[in-house]
């Protein structure tokens, strides 16, 4: 039975307040349960969904799949896997945050006092390495699995951290930072895929936010470690060496967490996928597990059987740019990720200690804890809200970013910094206080939504293009990151700190408008359902219809 309002050509014939509810009452009522063994399975009646192949404009009816059904999951197993994978987030956050402390205490330990350009180089090389790491992940994650790519990332992190802690020249430190960056690219590309494919749809947003919380926790840890070792002779060596510890812990936990069911089914390892699903949903009867397997298998069947590696990546690349629904999902995902990086947040994460040092703070690293601490606290707060609605959360918070940045621009208009990044005169106290307050307000608005929701955007991508699409998403992340990290100090020197923050404010306002028109609400929808959204333009209205179906079904 096909739901009429799921097809564009029938939308005008159905009233969402009458026919939708009558249909739900008769076909999707949660009380229509069936017996399976000794347990009752409240599986809603399955529905047939019309699928449109935009590559050749064919329409066909897909396999019958359950509507918004997820069995009761095992929090212990799921959170154990998510926390183990999220150690990669700690690595990501720590190695992006520790450079802020190190730049203040390098002194002449690398052979000479670092110039502005060398500071930007050491900061941005990690992002450059991450860009390459994302490319490597795109070519390997379908072939060797999500879990194995995470393990490879740990190796790169460990090697880079050890090399950085023993560097005695800018050249050697540059190589070490690049190696760390490759590990970042591998981890940040694959870990969100791993978590989203392993998590129940009703908790997918929260689980990805756990990863974001690990990132912010790693950043706060970096500032804490920096404040401990900043007075120690060559203490920056201990700062970098500490980064190898989380990587070694994640390697030790490698045997504990499994490969994702979707990848196992994709590789025709259905028996192993069933074992993982039984661990995720231990109380579900075998018939419900089989239903989930069939739902995933239907999604897998929509992809094309190609050799893995470059040939597969090239095919996925073509699909992403020639199939309109894939292209729209890619534009939305990459646009939001670009906004996350170009909003100016990383200028604070990388250079807040440098800015506080220029402003005359006696303990600039400790002052930087205001940024990282606020980020961690409000990311933790977002755990409560992210599965209630990503779109609502973004629209309700991103508007605060240009406001806070305008406050920062006003404060720095009274803090005169010359082209050599030195303070011209002692700034008024109120300007320094306003700068700190504006940073805290900006980070708070950022952390609640924009800091973590873009990492959920891989859920927009259909399975057959998810690996390459997520790699592109990660490459957009790091290329945008390079643009900020490699230019911020030069930007401050050229147009002043006030002008730089004013520029970021304009970017944030444009990004807020972009979200309103292109970002659909997908909270609570299964990954197999999300792919339909972008077959209807950018899917904002269509996603609202699906959400209405979901909530009405829950109320019946």
């Amino acid at each position: 039975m096909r739901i009429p309002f799921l097809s564009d050509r029938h939308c005008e014939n159905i009233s969402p307040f009458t026919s939708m509810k009558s249909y739900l009452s008769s076909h999707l009522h949660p009380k229509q349960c069936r017996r399976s063994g000794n347990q009752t399975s409240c599986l809603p009646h399955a529905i047939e969904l019309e699928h449109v192949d935009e590559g050749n404009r064919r329409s066909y009816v897909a396999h019958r799949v359950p509507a918004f059904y997820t069995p009761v999951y095992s929090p212990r197993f799921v959170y154990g896997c998510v926390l183990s994978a999220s150690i990669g987030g700690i690595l990501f956050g720590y190695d992006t945050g520790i450079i802020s402390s190190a730049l203040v205490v390098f002194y002449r330990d690398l052979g000479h006092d670092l110039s502005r350009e060398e500071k930007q180089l050491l900061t941005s090389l990690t992002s450059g390495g991450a860009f390459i790491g994302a490319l490597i992940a795109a070519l390997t994650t379908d072939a060797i699995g999500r879990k194995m790519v995470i393990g490879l990332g740990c190796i790169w992190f460990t090697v880079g951290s050890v090399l950085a802690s023993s560097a005695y020249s800018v050249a050697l430190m540059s190589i070490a930072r690049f190696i760390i960056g490759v590990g970042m690219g591998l981890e940040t590309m694959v870990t969100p895929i791993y978590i989203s494919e392993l998590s129940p749809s009703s908790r997918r947003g929260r689980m990805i936010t756990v990863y974001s919380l690990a990132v912010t926790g790693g950043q706060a840890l970096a500032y804490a470690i920096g404040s401990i070792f900043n007075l120690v002779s060559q203490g920056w060596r201990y700062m970098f060496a500490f980064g190898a510890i989380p990587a070694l812990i994640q390697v030790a936990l490698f045997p504990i967490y499994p490969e994702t069911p979707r990848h196992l089914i994709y590789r025709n390892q259905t028996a192993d996928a069933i074992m993982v699903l039984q661990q995720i949903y231990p109380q579900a009867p075998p018939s419900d597990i089989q239903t989930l397997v069939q739902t995933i298998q239907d999604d897998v069947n929509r992809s094309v059987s190609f050799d893995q590696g470059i040939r597969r990546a090239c095919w996925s690349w073509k699909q992403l740019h020639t199939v309109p629904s894939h292209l729209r999902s890619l534009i939305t995902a990459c646009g939001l990720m670009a906004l996350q990086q170009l909003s100016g947040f990383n200028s604070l994460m990388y250079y807040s200690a440098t800015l506080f040092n220029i402003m005359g703070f006696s303990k600039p690293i400790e002052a930087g804890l205001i940024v990282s601490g606020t980020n961690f606290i409000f990311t933790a707060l977002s755990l409560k809200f992210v599965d209630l609605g990503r779109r609502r959360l973004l629209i309700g918070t991103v508007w605060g970013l240009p406001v806070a940045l305008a406050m920062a621009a006003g404060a720095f208009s009274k803090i005169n910094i010359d082209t050599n990044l030195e303070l011209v005169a002692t700034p008024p106290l109120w300007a320094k206080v306003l700068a700190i307050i504006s940073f805290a307000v900006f980070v708070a608005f950022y952390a609640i939504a924009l800091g973590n929701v873009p990492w959920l955007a891989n859920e927009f991508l259909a399975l057959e293009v998810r690996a390459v699409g997520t790699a592109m998403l990660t490459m957009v992340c790091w290329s945008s990151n390079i643009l900020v990290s490699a230019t911020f100090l030069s930007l401050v020197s050229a147009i002043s700190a006030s002008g730089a923050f004013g520029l970021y404010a304009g970017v944030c306002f444009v990004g807020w408008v972009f979200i309103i028109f292109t970002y659909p609400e997908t909270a609570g929808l299964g990954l197999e359902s999300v792919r339909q959204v972008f077959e209807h333009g950018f899917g904002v209205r269509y996603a609202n219809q699906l959400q209405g179906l979901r909530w009405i079904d829950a109320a019946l």
Side-chain angles (χ1 to χ4, degrees), residues 217-244:
Q219 291 167 342
L221 179 64
Y223 276 91
I225 295 296
S227 65
I228 293 173
F229 289 107
N230 72 321
L231 298 179
V232 177
S233 176
Q234 297 196 358
W236 57 268
R237 298 189 184 278
Y238 301 102
M239 299 180 194
F240 285 112
F242 190 87

PDB file of all heavy atoms in Angstrom, residues 217-244:
ATOM      1  N   GLY A 217      35.702  18.362  24.858  1.00  0.00           N
ATOM      2  CA  GLY A 217      36.428  17.920  26.042  1.00  0.00           C
ATOM      3  C   GLY A 217      37.922  17.848  25.779  1.00  0.00           C
ATOM      4  O   GLY A 217      38.745  18.215  26.632  1.00  0.00           O
ATOM      5  N   GLY A 218      38.292  17.382  24.576  1.00  0.00           N
ATOM      6  CA  GLY A 218      39.706  17.352  24.208  1.00  0.00           C
ATOM      7  C   GLY A 218      40.307  18.741  24.124  1.00  0.00           C
ATOM      8  O   GLY A 218      41.462  18.965  24.525  1.00  0.00           O
ATOM      9  N   GLN A 219      39.526  19.706  23.637  1.00  0.00           N
ATOM     10  CA  GLN A 219      40.010  21.079  23.564  1.00  0.00           C
ATOM     11  C   GLN A 219      40.206  21.670  24.957  1.00  0.00           C
ATOM     12  O   GLN A 219      41.216  22.338  25.229  1.00  0.00           O
ATOM     13  CB  GLN A 219      39.027  21.922  22.753  1.00  0.00           C
ATOM     14  CG  GLN A 219      39.002  21.554  21.273  1.00  0.00           C
ATOM     15  CD  GLN A 219      37.831  22.154  20.536  1.00  0.00           C
ATOM     16  OE1 GLN A 219      36.843  22.579  21.134  1.00  0.00           O
ATOM     17  NE2 GLN A 219      37.923  22.180  19.209  1.00  0.00           N
ATOM     18  N   ALA A 220      39.249  21.415  25.857  1.00  0.00           N
ATOM     19  CA  ALA A 220      39.383  21.900  27.233  1.00  0.00           C
ATOM     20  C   ALA A 220      40.569  21.229  27.920  1.00  0.00           C
ATOM     21  O   ALA A 220      41.325  21.870  28.671  1.00  0.00           O
ATOM     22  CB  ALA A 220      38.090  21.628  28.003  1.00  0.00           C
ATOM     23  N   LEU A 221      40.747  19.927  27.653  1.00  0.00           N
ATOM     24  CA  LEU A 221      41.891  19.211  28.219  1.00  0.00           C
ATOM     25  C   LEU A 221      43.204  19.803  27.720  1.00  0.00           C
ATOM     26  O   LEU A 221      44.176  19.914  28.483  1.00  0.00           O
ATOM     27  CB  LEU A 221      41.794  17.731  27.837  1.00  0.00           C
ATOM     28  CG  LEU A 221      42.929  16.817  28.330  1.00  0.00           C
ATOM     29  CD1 LEU A 221      42.943  16.762  29.856  1.00  0.00           C
ATOM     30  CD2 LEU A 221      42.773  15.416  27.742  1.00  0.00           C
ATOM     31  N   ALA A 222      43.240  20.205  26.455  1.00  0.00           N
ATOM     32  CA  ALA A 222      44.454  20.798  25.895  1.00  0.00           C
ATOM     33  C   ALA A 222      44.826  22.083  26.629  1.00  0.00           C
ATOM     34  O   ALA A 222      46.006  22.307  26.955  1.00  0.00           O
ATOM     35  CB  ALA A 222      44.251  21.068  24.405  1.00  0.00           C
ATOM     36  N   TYR A 223      43.837  22.915  26.909  1.00  0.00           N
ATOM     37  CA  TYR A 223      44.120  24.158  27.631  1.00  0.00           C
ATOM     38  C   TYR A 223      44.537  23.871  29.071  1.00  0.00           C
ATOM     39  O   TYR A 223      45.409  24.556  29.626  1.00  0.00           O
ATOM     40  CB  TYR A 223      42.904  25.077  27.601  1.00  0.00           C
ATOM     41  CG  TYR A 223      42.810  25.910  26.348  1.00  0.00           C
ATOM     42  CD1 TYR A 223      42.116  25.454  25.235  1.00  0.00           C
ATOM     43  CD2 TYR A 223      43.422  27.150  26.270  1.00  0.00           C
ATOM     44  CE1 TYR A 223      42.032  26.211  24.077  1.00  0.00           C
ATOM     45  CE2 TYR A 223      43.345  27.928  25.125  1.00  0.00           C
ATOM     46  CZ  TYR A 223      42.649  27.440  24.025  1.00  0.00           C
ATOM     47  OH  TYR A 223      42.582  28.197  22.878  1.00  0.00           O
ATOM     48  N   ALA A 224      43.916  22.851  29.685  1.00  0.00           N
ATOM     49  CA  ALA A 224      44.287  22.494  31.060  1.00  0.00           C
ATOM     50  C   ALA A 224      45.718  21.981  31.114  1.00  0.00           C
ATOM     51  O   ALA A 224      46.502  22.380  31.991  1.00  0.00           O
ATOM     52  CB  ALA A 224      43.316  21.441  31.607  1.00  0.00           C
ATOM     53  N   ILE A 225      46.074  21.087  30.191  1.00  0.00           N
ATOM     54  CA  ILE A 225      47.449  20.580  30.136  1.00  0.00           C
ATOM     55  C   ILE A 225      48.416  21.713  29.826  1.00  0.00           C
ATOM     56  O   ILE A 225      49.525  21.793  30.393  1.00  0.00           O
ATOM     57  CB  ILE A 225      47.563  19.467  29.074  1.00  0.00           C
ATOM     58  CG1 ILE A 225      46.719  18.255  29.470  1.00  0.00           C
ATOM     59  CG2 ILE A 225      49.014  19.065  28.874  1.00  0.00           C
ATOM     60  CD1 ILE A 225      47.170  17.568  30.733  1.00  0.00           C
ATOM     61  N   GLY A 226      48.012  22.627  28.942  1.00  0.00           N
ATOM     62  CA  GLY A 226      48.852  23.768  28.611  1.00  0.00           C
ATOM     63  C   GLY A 226      49.118  24.654  29.812  1.00  0.00           C
ATOM     64  O   GLY A 226      50.247  25.134  30.013  1.00  0.00           O
ATOM     65  N   SER A 227      48.084  24.875  30.634  1.00  0.00           N
ATOM     66  CA  SER A 227      48.263  25.714  31.823  1.00  0.00           C
ATOM     67  C   SER A 227      49.163  25.049  32.859  1.00  0.00           C
ATOM     68  O   SER A 227      49.834  25.723  33.636  1.00  0.00           O
ATOM     69  CB  SER A 227      46.897  26.044  32.438  1.00  0.00           C
ATOM     70  OG  SER A 227      46.265  24.866  32.925  1.00  0.00           O
ATOM     71  N   ILE A 228      49.196  23.702  32.863  1.00  0.00           N
ATOM     72  CA  ILE A 228      50.046  22.973  33.809  1.00  0.00           C
ATOM     73  C   ILE A 228      51.516  23.058  33.406  1.00  0.00           C
ATOM     74  O   ILE A 228      52.406  23.268  34.241  1.00  0.00           O
ATOM     75  CB  ILE A 228      49.610  21.495  33.905  1.00  0.00           C
ATOM     76  CG1 ILE A 228      48.218  21.399  34.562  1.00  0.00           C
ATOM     77  CG2 ILE A 228      50.627  20.667  34.686  1.00  0.00           C
ATOM     78  CD1 ILE A 228      47.634  20.005  34.542  1.00  0.00           C
ATOM     79  N   PHE A 229      51.788  22.917  32.107  1.00  0.00           N
ATOM     80  CA  PHE A 229      53.179  22.820  31.648  1.00  0.00           C
ATOM     81  C   PHE A 229      53.731  24.116  31.069  1.00  0.00           C
ATOM     82  O   PHE A 229      54.878  24.145  30.616  1.00  0.00           O
ATOM     83  CB  PHE A 229      53.290  21.721  30.573  1.00  0.00           C
ATOM     84  CG  PHE A 229      53.130  20.330  31.130  1.00  0.00           C
ATOM     85  CD1 PHE A 229      51.971  19.614  30.887  1.00  0.00           C
ATOM     86  CD2 PHE A 229      54.118  19.739  31.897  1.00  0.00           C
ATOM     87  CE1 PHE A 229      51.804  18.332  31.383  1.00  0.00           C
ATOM     88  CE2 PHE A 229      53.964  18.463  32.408  1.00  0.00           C
ATOM     89  CZ  PHE A 229      52.809  17.748  32.155  1.00  0.00           C
ATOM     90  N   ASN A 230      52.956  25.208  31.079  1.00  0.00           N
ATOM     91  CA  ASN A 230      53.453  26.425  30.430  1.00  0.00           C
ATOM     92  C   ASN A 230      54.620  27.066  31.174  1.00  0.00           C
ATOM     93  O   ASN A 230      55.385  27.832  30.588  1.00  0.00           O
ATOM     94  CB  ASN A 230      52.312  27.432  30.240  1.00  0.00           C
ATOM     95  CG  ASN A 230      51.871  28.053  31.553  1.00  0.00           C
ATOM     96  OD1 ASN A 230      51.814  27.382  32.573  1.00  0.00           O
ATOM     97  ND2 ASN A 230      51.539  29.338  31.524  1.00  0.00           N
ATOM     98  N   LEU A 231      54.772  26.778  32.459  1.00  0.00           N
ATOM     99  CA  LEU A 231      55.875  27.337  33.228  1.00  0.00           C
ATOM    100  C   LEU A 231      57.053  26.387  33.322  1.00  0.00           C
ATOM    101  O   LEU A 231      58.100  26.735  33.894  1.00  0.00           O
ATOM    102  CB  LEU A 231      55.392  27.722  34.632  1.00  0.00           C
ATOM    103  CG  LEU A 231      54.293  28.800  34.691  1.00  0.00           C
ATOM    104  CD1 LEU A 231      53.891  29.065  36.131  1.00  0.00           C
ATOM    105  CD2 LEU A 231      54.759  30.081  34.014  1.00  0.00           C
ATOM    106  N   VAL A 232      56.899  25.176  32.775  1.00  0.00           N
ATOM    107  CA  VAL A 232      57.978  24.186  32.787  1.00  0.00           C
ATOM    108  C   VAL A 232      58.894  24.434  31.588  1.00  0.00           C
ATOM    109  O   VAL A 232      58.418  24.755  30.489  1.00  0.00           O
ATOM    110  CB  VAL A 232      57.395  22.751  32.729  1.00  0.00           C
ATOM    111  CG1 VAL A 232      58.517  21.706  32.675  1.00  0.00           C
ATOM    112  CG2 VAL A 232      56.490  22.509  33.930  1.00  0.00           C
ATOM    113  N   SER A 233      60.189  24.275  31.780  1.00  0.00           N
ATOM    114  CA  SER A 233      61.126  24.458  30.679  1.00  0.00           C
ATOM    115  C   SER A 233      60.807  23.465  29.555  1.00  0.00           C
ATOM    116  O   SER A 233      60.716  22.256  29.782  1.00  0.00           O
ATOM    117  CB  SER A 233      62.559  24.232  31.179  1.00  0.00           C
ATOM    118  OG  SER A 233      63.491  24.314  30.105  1.00  0.00           O
ATOM    119  N   GLN A 234      60.606  24.003  28.346  1.00  0.00           N
ATOM    120  CA  GLN A 234      60.211  23.214  27.182  1.00  0.00           C
ATOM    121  C   GLN A 234      58.982  22.345  27.493  1.00  0.00           C
ATOM    122  O   GLN A 234      58.854  21.212  27.038  1.00  0.00           O
ATOM    123  CB  GLN A 234      61.375  22.341  26.691  1.00  0.00           C
ATOM    124  CG  GLN A 234      62.571  23.155  26.221  1.00  0.00           C
ATOM    125  CD  GLN A 234      63.555  22.361  25.393  1.00  0.00           C
ATOM    126  OE1 GLN A 234      63.396  21.173  25.169  1.00  0.00           O
ATOM    127  NE2 GLN A 234      64.590  23.048  24.915  1.00  0.00           N
ATOM    128  N   GLY A 235      58.073  22.936  28.241  1.00  0.00           N
ATOM    129  CA  GLY A 235      56.857  22.208  28.627  1.00  0.00           C
ATOM    130  C   GLY A 235      55.979  21.827  27.456  1.00  0.00           C
ATOM    131  O   GLY A 235      55.160  20.907  27.561  1.00  0.00           O
ATOM    132  N   TRP A 236      56.155  22.515  26.324  1.00  0.00           N
ATOM    133  CA  TRP A 236      55.332  22.191  25.157  1.00  0.00           C
ATOM    134  C   TRP A 236      55.600  20.771  24.667  1.00  0.00           C
ATOM    135  O   TRP A 236      54.730  20.158  24.029  1.00  0.00           O
ATOM    136  CB  TRP A 236      55.582  23.195  24.032  1.00  0.00           C
ATOM    137  CG  TRP A 236      57.009  23.306  23.583  1.00  0.00           C
ATOM    138  CD1 TRP A 236      57.945  24.184  24.046  1.00  0.00           C
ATOM    139  CD2 TRP A 236      57.666  22.519  22.582  1.00  0.00           C
ATOM    140  NE1 TRP A 236      59.146  23.999  23.402  1.00  0.00           N
ATOM    141  CE2 TRP A 236      58.998  22.980  22.482  1.00  0.00           C
ATOM    142  CE3 TRP A 236      57.267  21.479  21.752  1.00  0.00           C
ATOM    143  CZ2 TRP A 236      59.928  22.433  21.609  1.00  0.00           C
ATOM    144  CZ3 TRP A 236      58.189  20.933  20.868  1.00  0.00           C
ATOM    145  CH2 TRP A 236      59.500  21.401  20.797  1.00  0.00           C
ATOM    146  N   ARG A 237      56.773  20.208  24.976  1.00  0.00           N
ATOM    147  CA  ARG A 237      57.059  18.830  24.576  1.00  0.00           C
ATOM    148  C   ARG A 237      56.133  17.857  25.301  1.00  0.00           C
ATOM    149  O   ARG A 237      55.646  16.891  24.715  1.00  0.00           O
ATOM    150  CB  ARG A 237      58.522  18.486  24.854  1.00  0.00           C
ATOM    151  CG  ARG A 237      59.515  19.363  24.071  1.00  0.00           C
ATOM    152  CD  ARG A 237      60.950  18.844  24.205  1.00  0.00           C
ATOM    153  NE  ARG A 237      61.879  19.751  23.538  1.00  0.00           N
ATOM    154  CZ  ARG A 237      62.130  19.743  22.234  1.00  0.00           C
ATOM    155  NH1 ARG A 237      61.521  18.878  21.448  1.00  0.00           N
ATOM    156  NH2 ARG A 237      62.999  20.599  21.714  1.00  0.00           N
ATOM    157  N   TYR A 238      55.910  18.112  26.568  1.00  0.00           N
ATOM    158  CA  TYR A 238      54.983  17.267  27.321  1.00  0.00           C
ATOM    159  C   TYR A 238      53.553  17.441  26.799  1.00  0.00           C
ATOM    160  O   TYR A 238      52.773  16.483  26.787  1.00  0.00           O
ATOM    161  CB  TYR A 238      55.047  17.620  28.812  1.00  0.00           C
ATOM    162  CG  TYR A 238      56.425  17.454  29.424  1.00  0.00           C
ATOM    163  CD1 TYR A 238      57.237  18.558  29.660  1.00  0.00           C
ATOM    164  CD2 TYR A 238      56.909  16.190  29.753  1.00  0.00           C
ATOM    165  CE1 TYR A 238      58.499  18.418  30.222  1.00  0.00           C
ATOM    166  CE2 TYR A 238      58.169  16.037  30.322  1.00  0.00           C
ATOM    167  CZ  TYR A 238      58.953  17.147  30.545  1.00  0.00           C
ATOM    168  OH  TYR A 238      60.201  17.001  31.094  1.00  0.00           O
ATOM    169  N   MET A 239      53.224  18.664  26.387  1.00  0.00           N
ATOM    170  CA  MET A 239      51.881  18.911  25.845  1.00  0.00           C
ATOM    171  C   MET A 239      51.615  18.025  24.630  1.00  0.00           C
ATOM    172  O   MET A 239      50.559  17.387  24.530  1.00  0.00           O
ATOM    173  CB  MET A 239      51.743  20.386  25.446  1.00  0.00           C
ATOM    174  CG  MET A 239      51.898  21.385  26.565  1.00  0.00           C
ATOM    175  SD  MET A 239      51.714  23.088  25.929  1.00  0.00           S
ATOM    176  CE  MET A 239      52.357  24.052  27.303  1.00  0.00           C
ATOM    177  N   PHE A 240      52.568  17.985  23.707  1.00  0.00           N
ATOM    178  CA  PHE A 240      52.372  17.186  22.495  1.00  0.00           C
ATOM    179  C   PHE A 240      52.449  15.685  22.789  1.00  0.00           C
ATOM    180  O   PHE A 240      51.707  14.889  22.213  1.00  0.00           O
ATOM    181  CB  PHE A 240      53.404  17.570  21.433  1.00  0.00           C
ATOM    182  CG  PHE A 240      53.123  18.872  20.754  1.00  0.00           C
ATOM    183  CD1 PHE A 240      53.941  19.973  20.934  1.00  0.00           C
ATOM    184  CD2 PHE A 240      52.011  19.009  19.922  1.00  0.00           C
ATOM    185  CE1 PHE A 240      53.681  21.185  20.306  1.00  0.00           C
ATOM    186  CE2 PHE A 240      51.739  20.221  19.288  1.00  0.00           C
ATOM    187  CZ  PHE A 240      52.577  21.300  19.485  1.00  0.00           C
ATOM    188  N   ALA A 241      53.354  15.282  23.667  1.00  0.00           N
ATOM    189  CA  ALA A 241      53.501  13.860  23.988  1.00  0.00           C
ATOM    190  C   ALA A 241      52.224  13.299  24.615  1.00  0.00           C
ATOM    191  O   ALA A 241      51.852  12.141  24.376  1.00  0.00           O
ATOM    192  CB  ALA A 241      54.691  13.650  24.927  1.00  0.00           C
ATOM    193  N   PHE A 242      51.537  14.117  25.397  1.00  0.00           N
ATOM    194  CA  PHE A 242      50.302  13.669  26.051  1.00  0.00           C
ATOM    195  C   PHE A 242      49.252  13.255  25.021  1.00  0.00           C
ATOM    196  O   PHE A 242      48.392  12.412  25.307  1.00  0.00           O
ATOM    197  CB  PHE A 242      49.757  14.793  26.938  1.00  0.00           C
ATOM    198  CG  PHE A 242      48.628  14.368  27.831  1.00  0.00           C
ATOM    199  CD1 PHE A 242      48.874  13.815  29.075  1.00  0.00           C
ATOM    200  CD2 PHE A 242      47.306  14.516  27.426  1.00  0.00           C
ATOM    201  CE1 PHE A 242      47.831  13.409  29.894  1.00  0.00           C
ATOM    202  CE2 PHE A 242      46.261  14.126  28.235  1.00  0.00           C
ATOM    203  CZ  PHE A 242      46.530  13.573  29.482  1.00  0.00           C
ATOM    204  N   GLY A 243      49.325  13.815  23.811  1.00  0.00           N
ATOM    205  CA  GLY A 243      48.338  13.498  22.782  1.00  0.00           C
ATOM    206  C   GLY A 243      48.368  12.058  22.314  1.00  0.00           C
ATOM    207  O   GLY A 243      47.399  11.570  21.707  1.00  0.00           O
ATOM    208  N   ALA A 244      49.477  11.338  22.570  1.00  0.00           N
ATOM    209  CA  ALA A 244      49.561   9.939  22.150  1.00  0.00           C
ATOM    210  C   ALA A 244      48.762   9.013  23.070  1.00  0.00           C
ATOM    211  O   ALA A 244      48.395   7.904  22.668  1.00  0.00           O
ATOM    212  CB  ALA A 244      51.023   9.497  22.107  1.00  0.00           C
TER     213      ALA A 244
END
